[in-house]
Structures are given as structure tokens and as C-alpha cells.
Amino acid sequence: MGTYLLYYLVILPVSYLPFPILYLLSDLIFFVVYRVMGYRRKVVFNNIKKSFPEKSRAELKAIEKEFYHHLADLMVESFKTFNISAATSLKRMKVKNAELINKFQREGKSIVTVGGHNGNWELYAVACALQIEHAAIALYTPLTNKFFDKLMRQSRSRFGLTMIATSKKEELLANLKEPSMFIFGIDQCPGKNQRAYWTQFLNQETGVQFGAEKFARDHDMPVVFGNIVKVKRGFYEIEYELICEDPTTLSSGQILEKATRLLETKIMEQPSYWLWSHKRWKHDRCDYEDQKKQSEVPEPSLSQ
């Protein structure tokens, strides 16, 4: 009952508010979340501190404070996606170089796009299919709350994006029949039962989920990195960058290595707009000892 009340009494009414009012609400949320509740402040500050050991405490606190302003904006902007128009979403989330990926669609090729939680990924989910020629497919992990999981899928899929749970391989493979763009996030902590690629990321040893690279290799797809830049409050741009046209030309792990280096560079350019409240480093390499042994056994291809 509480979930339904939250949506119908808070989220839905807020989604109808004009943007100027939304940002007044965002300022209030920032004060409550940052000053009063101190939501995950220890997690956020420790993540930033470990990622930028060369910065002074004053510089770290400035990044932290700006991040919480951005987090409050993300909240109200995410509520707005439940009712945002196609025209408004295109105005506020622009693709700088869609031609880079559209040429693959014209060649009849599907592609894999990788990226992280920079800028506003919820708005990107709503607007991305409107600006490319491929069918847009996003891989996601279902929420435990089934009501909000359904709402999230409906919101993101309003203008053409198809949401597929990572566990539904048959549904995923069915979308190979037409040129599609398969969207993978690479900056979430891998589960202990998942294969991980290990590298240095933001000054810390980090496991990266291997699924995006494996999928690209299994189906011989070009791989593109997408980065969302916050231009100003409420306005974003995404720019794509080619990692490889032929994944077989790179050795195992190189696709993820290149993607991780690109993501790291983009985070350092706009450090306050990455999702620092995520417990990205909650597991270390020792936690994956058993998984590492299992990964030495060849995994079955998704195409089998």
C-alpha cells in the first residue's frame, strides 16, 4: 500500500510540475538529503576520497556537495520522465554524433553500447531511441519491488526503448533479427557469481562485469562507448565514441579496458555528476576467488 501511495500521491503529481518548480523542489530535497539526513555521506565521501587522493579535503567536499545537488536534480528529473513529452526529452537530451552509430544500422549491423552512470541516464533511456536508427535494447536488473519495476520499465520504454532483464537470454537473442543497439552499463559492482574483468579504475582495483564484452564477441558486434555530459541544469548531451568495429581484433578484456579508461576520463572531467552514492567497491578481488576458478572453465555462448 505504501508503494502505491508514494507513486500516486508524490511521484505522479510531481511529474506534472513545470521545470522551474521542479528545481525549487530539488533545492529543498538537497537540503533535506544532504544537510538533515546525511544520506550515504560516508559512502560518498570515501568513494571520492579514494578516487582522488591528490585532492585537498576542501576540493573533495566541494565535489561531494555538488554531487548532492546533482542527485537532487536527478530525483526530480526522474519523476518528470513519467510525463515528459518526446519534444521536451529531445530538447534536454541531445545526441551529438548519432551518425557514428547510424552508419552501422544502414550496413545491417547491430552494435553494443557501453557506458556508466554519468549525467542523467533515466532521461537518456527515455530519449535515446528517438535519435538513432537502430532498435534500442537496454539490459537491466529487475527491481525487487515489482510495482516500481513495472513503472520503471514503462517510463524508460515510452518512446521506443525495449527493456530486457539480464536473465532473459532468449528474449535478448530474439532481438538479433534486426539491427539493434544493445545498451550495457559497465560501472555497477559485479555479483559474486558473475565473471569479472579486473582493472584499476579511479585509483582502486575494480571488477567490471564481463557481459558486454562477451555479448559483443559472441555476436561479432562493433562496440561503442557513450558518455552523458551535463551541459547545464536540466540539459544533457551524449557523445558516442567507437571502441572497435571488430571485437576479434582485440584480446580478451581489451574492450572493457578501453571502455573503463574512457569512463574514468569522463568522470574526471565532470567528477560531481557520476553516481558516487553507489557502493561500487563493496567487494574486493578476494571475494571473487571461487568465481575466478569457475571463469577458467569456458562459458557457453549466448548464441547456443
Side-chain angles (χ1 to χ4, degrees):
M1 178 61 72
T3 300
Y4 291 89
L5 290 176
L6 176 62
Y7 175 69
Y8 286 108
L9 296 182
V10 179
I11 297 176
L12 191 58
V14 168
S15 72
Y16 285 99
L17 295 175
F19 278 97
I21 304 300
L22 280 177
Y23 290 122
L24 290 176
L25 178 60
S26 174
D27 292 339
L28 176 61
I29 291 173
F30 162 76
F31 178 79
V32 174
V33 170
Y34 183 62
R35 298 295 187 188
V36 180
M37 295 174 56
Y39 170 73
R40 288 197 175 184
R41 282 189 65 171
K42 184 176 181 180
V43 171
V44 169
F45 187 77
N46 284 341
N47 282 343
I48 297 171
K49 182 179 180 180
K50 290 178 180 178
S51 298
F52 302 104
E54 75 285 358
K55 293 187 181 296
S56 67
R57 182 174 178 84
E59 290 173 315
L60 298 174
K61 296 301 287 186
I63 294 173
E64 177 195 64
K65 184 177 180 180
E66 189 174 358
F67 163 72
Y68 276 98
H69 275 295
H70 175 63
L71 183 64
D73 282 355
L74 272 178
M75 291 177 65
V76 298
E77 290 167 2
S78 296
F79 292 168
K80 188 66 175 177
T81 60
F82 286 98
N83 275 299
I84 197 169
S85 68
T88 301
S89 68
L90 288 172
K91 179 181 177 182
R92 291 177 173 270
M93 176 63 71
K94 294 183 178 181
V95 176
K96 291 185 66 176
N97 58 340
E99 182 58 33
L100 176 69
I101 56 177
N102 286 340
K103 76 180 188 72
F104 291 117
Q105 194 276 344
R106 294 166 195 158
E107 295 169 0
K109 295 180 180 178
S110 292
I111 64 172
V112 167
T113 295
V114 295
H117 287 77
N118 280 351
N120 188 330
W121 53 93
E122 294 292 342
L123 184 56
Y124 171 69
V126 171
C128 69
L130 294 169
Q131 303 182 68
I132 61 170
E133 296 175 7
H134 284 90
I137 315 292
L139 285 295
Y140 83 106
T141 301
L143 303 175
T144 54
N145 186 301
K146 292 185 178 180
F147 178 70
F148 273 118
D149 181 71
K150 180 180 179 181
L151 290 175
M152 179 269 290
R153 286 186 284 108
Q154 289 177 341
S155 173
R156 293 180 178 180
S157 303
R158 291 181 64 209
F159 303 126
L161 178 69
T162 298
M163 301 289 297
I164 299 179
T166 53
S167 59
K168 295 185 177 180
K169 294 182 180 179
E170 296 80 9
E171 186 177 347
L172 179 62
L173 295 175
N175 285 275
L176 292 172
K177 296 177 182 178
E178 63 175 319
S180 301
M181 180 173 78
F182 296 90
I183 305 168
F184 289 78
I186 61 166
D187 59 350
Q188 293 179 306
C189 185
K192 292 183 182 180
N193 62 340
Q194 291 180 307
R195 183 180 177 187
Y197 169 74
W198 288 90
T199 186
Q200 286 292 119
F201 172 60
L202 293 174
N203 200 50
Q204 297 161 84
E205 188 175 44
T206 305
V208 182
Q209 294 177 359
F210 203 79
E213 176 162 334
K214 176 173 168 51
F215 190 75
R217 290 185 181 281
D218 282 350
H219 303 288
D220 193 24
M221 293 181 185
V223 182
V224 172
F225 175 79
N227 181 63
I228 302 171
V229 173
K230 188 169 187 174
V231 179
K232 60 181 180 179
R233 197 175 202 183
F235 292 86
Y236 303 86
E237 290 179 343
I238 181 160
E239 186 168 13
Y240 296 108
E241 186 169 340
L242 183 66
I243 291 178
C244 66
E245 287 199 39
D246 181 357
T248 64
T249 62
L250 300 178
S251 60
S252 180
Q254 273 195 289
I255 292 172
L256 291 178
E257 182 65 32
K258 287 176 176 285
T260 302
R261 297 282 70 78
L262 285 168
L263 177 59
E264 183 178 62
T265 298
K266 302 306 181 183
I267 291 171
M268 294 175 77
E269 290 173 358
Q270 288 193 318
S272 298
Y273 304 145
W274 188 58
L275 190 60
W276 294 105
S277 55
H278 173 53
K279 294 181 180 179
R280 181 64 180 88
W281 295 279
K282 62 183 176 182
H283 301 306
D284 58 32
R285 195 163 190 165
C286 293
D287 294 329
Y288 292 82
E289 287 277 330
D290 292 337
Q291 172 267 331
K292 182 179 178 181
K293 294 176 183 178
Q294 294 172 7
S295 70
E296 293 173 355
V297 178
E299 298 181 25
S301 169
L302 279 173
S303 61
Q304 293 178 343

